[in-house]
Amino acid sequence: MTILWPNGSTSRPPISSGFGPRNLDNPLASKYHRGVDMYDFDTVHAIADGTVVYVGLSSGVGWSAVAGFMVWVQHDGFFSRALHNDASTVRVRKGDRVRAGDPLVGMGWSGLQGPWATHVHLEVTPGQWHTANTGQVDPVPFIEARIGQTTGGGGVANQKGTDMEAYVTAPNGTVAHLRPSSKINFKDPAHYKRHRNAIRKLRRKKATDLMLPPTLGSVPKVSWTEFETIADAIGAPKG
Ligand SMILES: [Zn+2]
């Protein structure tokens, strides 16, 4: 499976707004940007092989209307979301298998208000898809590091050696941080908080590329099947 940019190419399209904290004049812009805005192409393409897991308005998953018409695809070990698309041009349905570079939907302006130019807001999140608005990583270094790479086709392959990670709540209530060949089970909320604060401090100093852990309340609850799928995808121990 080759990873491509959402313009269906190995050449990165221009970026109008990058991932992370931002301070725009536009009062409608989110203060922390969980994706990257790209423009200068017409059709949004699948960035990797996968299965379409959501097609529809953001309100359908309980998100703010600002995200507009979305297409989400589960890939091998991560999932991608494309926001603000033109619903009238959608080419896929939930459950469709897609290959890297397949057209998904036309770029649009749905959900947007104010002085935005037309763009696709692309998000990449490691692990198994979920509707919580958390866990996103910067798509640019993620895709750049994998452009042209071949990984396992279909299903979930072991991604040991990649930088994927996830925070999940297991059915027994244990919150875990999954990394390749490592797993932390947090003993209690204080333990989680210390871990989160330590990573936040390191990130401020640009001393780690570990993701900022979500707040405890937004760590998604998963079934044991999902837990095992995510652990396998990341190469983390399950026990
Ligand atoms: Zn955006």
Side-chain angles (χ1 to χ4, degrees), residues 16-18 22 30 33-38 83-84 112 116 119-123:
S16 50
S17 185
R22 62 181 180 181
S30 60
H33 194 214
R34 296 177 177 278
V36 61
D37 296 344
M38 295 178 158
L83 277 54
H84 310 312
L112 296 171
W116 294 105
H119 65 269
V120 62
H121 168 108
L122 176 73
E123 297 189 353

